[in-house]
Amino acid sequence: MALMTTRRADIEHHLAKYPDKRSAVMPLLYIAQEEYGHITQEAIAEIAEIIDVDVTHIRGLIGFYTMYHDKPKGRHLLYICTDLPCAVRGAEAFSEQIQEHLGIGHGDTTADGMFTLENVMCIGACHRAPVMQVDFRFNYNGANWEDLTFERAKQQIEDLREAQQTE
Amino acid sequence: MSEIILLRNREIENLRNYDVYVEHGGFEALKKTLQMDPEDVITEVKDSNLRGRGGAGFPTGVKWNFMPREDVTKYVAVNADESEPGTFKDREIMEENPYQLLEGSLICAYAVGAELVYIYIRGEYWEIAEILDESIERMRAEGLLGQDILGSGFSCDMHVHIGAGAYICGEETALLNSLEGKRGQPRIKPPFPAQSGLYSKPTVVNNVETLANVPWIMEHGADAFKAIGTEGGAGTKIFSVSGCVNKPGNYELPLGITFRELFEIAGGITDGNQVKGILPAGASAAILPATDEILDMPLDYESLKPYGTGLGSASVIVLDETVDMAWAASKMVQFFAHESCGQCTPCREGTYWLERLYERIDHGDLDPEDVERMDSVAAQMQGKCICALGEFAVNPVMATIKHFREDYDAAVAAAQGSGDIPVMPETTPAGD
Ligand SMILES: Cc1cc2nc3c(=O)[nH]c(=O)nc-3n(C[C@H](O)[C@H](O)[C@H](O)COP(=O)(O)O)c2cc1C
Ligand code: SF4
Ligand code: FES
């Protein structure tokens, strides 16, 4: 279904924030991503029409910004920071443990389609390494994903998987 | 106990709550300011010697003073992109003391005559954007935003704009392009944002921490602010301390503090080790060797300049004797290669080639000429780029080769089979 049908109020809220509707492209792309799991070609066409730009412009933006995805991903996007300050506190080894636990490499999606894992640059929680985010959040499914140990991360990942399966 | 201007949340519980903020003097500075001539507000901030906390350390009042006085559409853009590795200070302000930032932003808007404020926050701070949205909503409900604020005749509104994972959008003109719905690529300066910023209109861009100081300055006066810190840096600064210390975290301290004092406050170096190198401002400013002279240097916006580095955002990454500096440089090189926006050839190609050269360390095939090649690729990038990222990317390479050449020599020796490739410890820290 078209975004303007399912998310009209949200879209209008964002359009009203700017004197130029083209500025609303970023929030609109997030809405599409929330709605469909990734940004579909139909959504790109619809957004292009709403803000009156060319679809190639929007494709360019999706390529430029790392948080937008035009390919299907796992149900949850797991970020692990492996940038320098976290890495000196063991984050690279931590990421490898998580990868092993999930049976996937960095950038991959689990076979059940539940998780996509990405090693990322600094996410502003270096004092709480090792640190993860679930769908861009430090707090998710009633748990905090900072100051992790492998054991706690594993537990939280399994809790999350379970919460989704029983949903 | 030294003065606390920003992280008042450490002393006041639930400061992020509107009523608590108001109970503790919140919005008094705004009320006072709205009675003043905007010109006097600019003068007060100028006299306070407040300098930008986002990296460049530019005097804030001077920046505001660049704004034209004509009655044209103007904007304020709050830089909440906070993506420099090792930086997590703006986050605490926004999470725990959001109204102080919003009050400061509103005072700025009043001073320069802007009727719209955009807060550009990085996408990975999704939850924090929600806190800001709620806080802004509350201010609207309290008549602190919108038409004719508190009967002053001044009207202003604020919106949060969420970024989408691009470090370069922290550069002020890239931020403005991103806000306009374009790729977040820096613009050639001049014109500066004060002349032609958002939608080509005069715009002030300030960092979160910078603006969060403003209510205090308006309340206590420029002299009280200047009385804290040093000549080269007035007021307090939040130091985000990360890496090899026992208590990494944010520490708000008067400018003029030394690294030695700072590390002590941050619980000392991990495992009682010796500190080896200090990154004073994340990955961007050149690394310093931890000599006594450096450790005892009073830190402000001027003191580190003779060492070819700067305090920047004061995101201090501490690297101890166990850290291989060639490895640390490779991490930073990867960062810049990933974050280059690609519009300048020297930056795009240079960071690409540096990343390829540094990979050789990991692959165990670094040869002696590679170290010279690294230095020479970096040298060729200098002074040829549109924005400062191109310069930042050079720093980890040249400074580590200069100060820690022995770590590169060890990688070369390892590649030649006469030593072990240094590896990072496999242990994860205790966590909770
Ligand atoms: C590559 C690059 C990244 C930057 N990232 C940030 C950032 O995340 N936050 C920030 O406040 N300033 C950042 N800056 C500095 C801004 O361009 C600008 O100087 C600052 O927002 C001005 O505010 P201030 O004067 O209050 O510091 C960055 C600069 C460059 C060149
Ligand atoms: S120096 Fe690098 S990041 Fe800056 S504008 Fe040029 S290519 Fe983009
Ligand atoms: S380096 Fe990992 S959160 Fe900053």
Side-chain angles (χ1 to χ4, degrees), chain B residues 161-180:
Chain B
H161 184 95
I162 304 184
Y167 165 72
I168 194 60
C169 289
E171 194 283 332
E172 56 186 12
T173 59
L175 181 152
L176 297 174
N177 274 341
S178 182
L179 199 43
E180 290 181 8

PDB file of all heavy atoms in Angstrom, chain B residues 161-180:
ATOM      1  N   HIS B 161      15.949  17.277  13.037  1.00  0.00           N
ATOM      2  CA  HIS B 161      16.186  16.612  11.754  1.00  0.00           C
ATOM      3  C   HIS B 161      17.174  15.478  12.001  1.00  0.00           C
ATOM      4  O   HIS B 161      18.269  15.702  12.511  1.00  0.00           O
ATOM      5  CB  HIS B 161      16.752  17.617  10.743  1.00  0.00           C
ATOM      6  CG  HIS B 161      16.933  17.051   9.367  1.00  0.00           C
ATOM      7  ND1 HIS B 161      15.987  17.186   8.384  1.00  0.00           N
ATOM      8  CD2 HIS B 161      17.938  16.334   8.819  1.00  0.00           C
ATOM      9  CE1 HIS B 161      16.406  16.584   7.276  1.00  0.00           C
ATOM     10  NE2 HIS B 161      17.594  16.051   7.521  1.00  0.00           N
ATOM     11  N   ILE B 162      16.778  14.276  11.625  1.00  0.00           N
ATOM     12  CA  ILE B 162      17.607  13.114  11.931  1.00  0.00           C
ATOM     13  C   ILE B 162      18.479  12.740  10.736  1.00  0.00           C
ATOM     14  O   ILE B 162      17.966  12.539   9.633  1.00  0.00           O
ATOM     15  CB  ILE B 162      16.718  11.913  12.353  1.00  0.00           C
ATOM     16  CG1 ILE B 162      15.831  12.321  13.540  1.00  0.00           C
ATOM     17  CG2 ILE B 162      17.573  10.708  12.702  1.00  0.00           C
ATOM     18  CD1 ILE B 162      14.977  11.191  14.099  1.00  0.00           C
ATOM     19  N   GLY B 163      19.770  12.666  10.961  1.00  0.00           N
ATOM     20  CA  GLY B 163      20.726  12.277   9.927  1.00  0.00           C
ATOM     21  C   GLY B 163      20.639  10.789   9.643  1.00  0.00           C
ATOM     22  O   GLY B 163      19.776  10.083  10.168  1.00  0.00           O
ATOM     23  N   ALA B 164      21.550  10.298   8.813  1.00  0.00           N
ATOM     24  CA  ALA B 164      21.406   8.901   8.412  1.00  0.00           C
ATOM     25  C   ALA B 164      22.745   8.188   8.230  1.00  0.00           C
ATOM     26  O   ALA B 164      22.923   7.405   7.311  1.00  0.00           O
ATOM     27  CB  ALA B 164      20.570   8.812   7.137  1.00  0.00           C
ATOM     28  N   GLY B 165      23.679   8.485   9.142  1.00  0.00           N
ATOM     29  CA  GLY B 165      24.913   7.719   9.110  1.00  0.00           C
ATOM     30  C   GLY B 165      25.928   8.260   8.135  1.00  0.00           C
ATOM     31  O   GLY B 165      26.227   7.611   7.135  1.00  0.00           O
ATOM     32  N   ALA B 166      26.424   9.454   8.394  1.00  0.00           N
ATOM     33  CA  ALA B 166      27.497  10.017   7.580  1.00  0.00           C
ATOM     34  C   ALA B 166      28.225  11.027   8.456  1.00  0.00           C
ATOM     35  O   ALA B 166      27.704  12.094   8.750  1.00  0.00           O
ATOM     36  CB  ALA B 166      26.946  10.689   6.324  1.00  0.00           C
ATOM     37  N   TYR B 167      29.433  10.660   8.850  1.00  0.00           N
ATOM     38  CA  TYR B 167      30.255  11.532   9.710  1.00  0.00           C
ATOM     39  C   TYR B 167      30.410  12.916   9.101  1.00  0.00           C
ATOM     40  O   TYR B 167      30.389  13.921   9.809  1.00  0.00           O
ATOM     41  CB  TYR B 167      31.621  10.863   9.883  1.00  0.00           C
ATOM     42  CG  TYR B 167      32.734  11.718  10.437  1.00  0.00           C
ATOM     43  CD1 TYR B 167      32.742  12.103  11.779  1.00  0.00           C
ATOM     44  CD2 TYR B 167      33.802  12.115   9.642  1.00  0.00           C
ATOM     45  CE1 TYR B 167      33.784  12.862  12.290  1.00  0.00           C
ATOM     46  CE2 TYR B 167      34.848  12.860  10.141  1.00  0.00           C
ATOM     47  CZ  TYR B 167      34.836  13.243  11.467  1.00  0.00           C
ATOM     48  OH  TYR B 167      35.870  13.982  11.971  1.00  0.00           O
ATOM     49  N   ILE B 168      30.532  12.954   7.791  1.00  0.00           N
ATOM     50  CA  ILE B 168      30.812  14.226   7.123  1.00  0.00           C
ATOM     51  C   ILE B 168      29.696  15.243   7.358  1.00  0.00           C
ATOM     52  O   ILE B 168      29.930  16.450   7.283  1.00  0.00           O
ATOM     53  CB  ILE B 168      31.077  14.004   5.611  1.00  0.00           C
ATOM     54  CG1 ILE B 168      31.693  15.249   4.962  1.00  0.00           C
ATOM     55  CG2 ILE B 168      29.829  13.570   4.873  1.00  0.00           C
ATOM     56  CD1 ILE B 168      33.011  15.682   5.543  1.00  0.00           C
ATOM     57  N   CYS B 169      28.492  14.787   7.661  1.00  0.00           N
ATOM     58  CA  CYS B 169      27.391  15.724   7.910  1.00  0.00           C
ATOM     59  C   CYS B 169      27.610  16.561   9.168  1.00  0.00           C
ATOM     60  O   CYS B 169      26.863  17.501   9.418  1.00  0.00           O
ATOM     61  CB  CYS B 169      26.056  14.994   7.978  1.00  0.00           C
ATOM     62  SG  CYS B 169      25.546  14.392   6.365  1.00  0.00           S
ATOM     63  N   GLY B 170      28.618  16.253   9.947  1.00  0.00           N
ATOM     64  CA  GLY B 170      28.981  17.111  11.076  1.00  0.00           C
ATOM     65  C   GLY B 170      29.708  18.360  10.625  1.00  0.00           C
ATOM     66  O   GLY B 170      29.765  19.354  11.351  1.00  0.00           O
ATOM     67  N   GLU B 171      30.284  18.324   9.438  1.00  0.00           N
ATOM     68  CA  GLU B 171      30.908  19.526   8.876  1.00  0.00           C
ATOM     69  C   GLU B 171      29.768  20.472   8.553  1.00  0.00           C
ATOM     70  O   GLU B 171      28.791  20.078   7.903  1.00  0.00           O
ATOM     71  CB  GLU B 171      31.729  19.148   7.632  1.00  0.00           C
ATOM     72  CG  GLU B 171      32.686  20.228   7.157  1.00  0.00           C
ATOM     73  CD  GLU B 171      32.032  21.375   6.412  1.00  0.00           C
ATOM     74  OE1 GLU B 171      30.975  21.174   5.781  1.00  0.00           O
ATOM     75  OE2 GLU B 171      32.557  22.498   6.462  1.00  0.00           O
ATOM     76  N   GLU B 172      29.891  21.727   8.965  1.00  0.00           N
ATOM     77  CA  GLU B 172      28.711  22.590   8.979  1.00  0.00           C
ATOM     78  C   GLU B 172      28.030  22.792   7.624  1.00  0.00           C
ATOM     79  O   GLU B 172      26.803  22.839   7.563  1.00  0.00           O
ATOM     80  CB  GLU B 172      29.046  23.945   9.612  1.00  0.00           C
ATOM     81  CG  GLU B 172      30.204  24.667   8.953  1.00  0.00           C
ATOM     82  CD  GLU B 172      30.595  25.944   9.710  1.00  0.00           C
ATOM     83  OE1 GLU B 172      30.132  26.142  10.831  1.00  0.00           O
ATOM     84  OE2 GLU B 172      31.364  26.738   9.135  1.00  0.00           O
ATOM     85  N   THR B 173      28.791  22.889   6.550  1.00  0.00           N
ATOM     86  CA  THR B 173      28.120  23.112   5.259  1.00  0.00           C
ATOM     87  C   THR B 173      27.546  21.810   4.693  1.00  0.00           C
ATOM     88  O   THR B 173      26.541  21.833   3.989  1.00  0.00           O
ATOM     89  CB  THR B 173      29.062  23.779   4.231  1.00  0.00           C
ATOM     90  OG1 THR B 173      30.209  22.942   4.018  1.00  0.00           O
ATOM     91  CG2 THR B 173      29.530  25.142   4.717  1.00  0.00           C
ATOM     92  N   ALA B 174      28.183  20.674   5.030  1.00  0.00           N
ATOM     93  CA  ALA B 174      27.611  19.379   4.643  1.00  0.00           C
ATOM     94  C   ALA B 174      26.290  19.190   5.383  1.00  0.00           C
ATOM     95  O   ALA B 174      25.304  18.702   4.830  1.00  0.00           O
ATOM     96  CB  ALA B 174      28.577  18.246   4.979  1.00  0.00           C
ATOM     97  N   LEU B 175      26.285  19.603   6.642  1.00  0.00           N
ATOM     98  CA  LEU B 175      25.072  19.533   7.456  1.00  0.00           C
ATOM     99  C   LEU B 175      23.943  20.322   6.796  1.00  0.00           C
ATOM    100  O   LEU B 175      22.805  19.848   6.690  1.00  0.00           O
ATOM    101  CB  LEU B 175      25.394  20.077   8.861  1.00  0.00           C
ATOM    102  CG  LEU B 175      24.311  20.090   9.932  1.00  0.00           C
ATOM    103  CD1 LEU B 175      24.959  19.990  11.310  1.00  0.00           C
ATOM    104  CD2 LEU B 175      23.461  21.344   9.869  1.00  0.00           C
ATOM    105  N   LEU B 176      24.273  21.507   6.318  1.00  0.00           N
ATOM    106  CA  LEU B 176      23.244  22.343   5.695  1.00  0.00           C
ATOM    107  C   LEU B 176      22.740  21.705   4.405  1.00  0.00           C
ATOM    108  O   LEU B 176      21.542  21.702   4.138  1.00  0.00           O
ATOM    109  CB  LEU B 176      23.794  23.752   5.437  1.00  0.00           C
ATOM    110  CG  LEU B 176      24.192  24.523   6.705  1.00  0.00           C
ATOM    111  CD1 LEU B 176      24.862  25.848   6.335  1.00  0.00           C
ATOM    112  CD2 LEU B 176      22.983  24.777   7.601  1.00  0.00           C
ATOM    113  N   ASN B 177      23.646  21.144   3.611  1.00  0.00           N
ATOM    114  CA  ASN B 177      23.215  20.457   2.392  1.00  0.00           C
ATOM    115  C   ASN B 177      22.306  19.287   2.729  1.00  0.00           C
ATOM    116  O   ASN B 177      21.286  19.060   2.077  1.00  0.00           O
ATOM    117  CB  ASN B 177      24.429  19.951   1.600  1.00  0.00           C
ATOM    118  CG  ASN B 177      24.990  21.027   0.680  1.00  0.00           C
ATOM    119  OD1 ASN B 177      24.314  22.005   0.363  1.00  0.00           O
ATOM    120  ND2 ASN B 177      26.231  20.845   0.253  1.00  0.00           N
ATOM    121  N   SER B 178      22.691  18.542   3.752  1.00  0.00           N
ATOM    122  CA  SER B 178      21.897  17.391   4.156  1.00  0.00           C
ATOM    123  C   SER B 178      20.497  17.832   4.589  1.00  0.00           C
ATOM    124  O   SER B 178      19.489  17.221   4.238  1.00  0.00           O
ATOM    125  CB  SER B 178      22.618  16.656   5.283  1.00  0.00           C
ATOM    126  OG  SER B 178      21.898  15.517   5.672  1.00  0.00           O
ATOM    127  N   LEU B 179      20.465  18.929   5.315  1.00  0.00           N
ATOM    128  CA  LEU B 179      19.194  19.482   5.789  1.00  0.00           C
ATOM    129  C   LEU B 179      18.334  19.967   4.616  1.00  0.00           C
ATOM    130  O   LEU B 179      17.108  19.977   4.683  1.00  0.00           O
ATOM    131  CB  LEU B 179      19.529  20.637   6.743  1.00  0.00           C
ATOM    132  CG  LEU B 179      18.550  21.176   7.746  1.00  0.00           C
ATOM    133  CD1 LEU B 179      17.783  20.097   8.474  1.00  0.00           C
ATOM    134  CD2 LEU B 179      19.305  22.037   8.767  1.00  0.00           C
ATOM    135  N   GLU B 180      18.966  20.345   3.546  1.00  0.00           N
ATOM    136  CA  GLU B 180      18.212  20.769   2.359  1.00  0.00           C
ATOM    137  C   GLU B 180      17.740  19.586   1.521  1.00  0.00           C
ATOM    138  O   GLU B 180      17.101  19.769   0.478  1.00  0.00           O
ATOM    139  CB  GLU B 180      19.079  21.694   1.484  1.00  0.00           C
ATOM    140  CG  GLU B 180      19.312  23.054   2.113  1.00  0.00           C
ATOM    141  CD  GLU B 180      20.158  23.962   1.228  1.00  0.00           C
ATOM    142  OE1 GLU B 180      20.445  23.607   0.073  1.00  0.00           O
ATOM    143  OE2 GLU B 180      20.520  25.047   1.714  1.00  0.00           O
TER     144      GLU B 180
END
